[in-house]
Amino acid sequence: MALYSDVVMDHFKNPRNIGKPKKWDAVGQVGNAICGDVMYIYIKVDDNIISDIGFETMGCAAAIATSSMVTEIAMGKTLEVAENITREKVAENLKGLPPVKMHCSNLAADGIREAIKNYKEKVNKE
Ligand code: FES
């Protein structure tokens, strides 16, 4: 039986929103101390909406697929909706992840939350 769903494999082989957007306002950096994977999620925000998003991930196939999926889910959403994206939602949209890889979806959900936190900190400073 295949370890990954066809959706995971598609997002791993053809990641969406890969790299930094041309213009971005904030970045969330998250890492997993156990596996050593690192993820950066960049967001551009206009009128409280995520108008552009991108990611850089140094990690496993699931980390890349979950990064790609979380950017697809968050694009065009309000900050409030995006910061409530759960790892279960990411995994569900990928048609499931093996239990041993669920922490990778945690990284993606945490990454978008960190990016939004970074954005709010910047706005509050201004
Ligand atoms: Fe750690 Fe995938 S093995 S994020």
Side-chain angles (χ1 to χ4, degrees), residues 1 5 21-23 43 51 53 115 125:
M1 197 186 101
S5 73
K22 276 197 184 107
K23 290 185 176 176
I43 55 172
S51 57
I53 190 164
K125 265 190 200 161

Side-chain angles (χ1 to χ4, degrees), residues 35 37 60 63 101 103-104 107:
C35 65
D37 291 354
C60 69
K101 290 290 178 180
H103 78 274
C104 314
L107 217 54

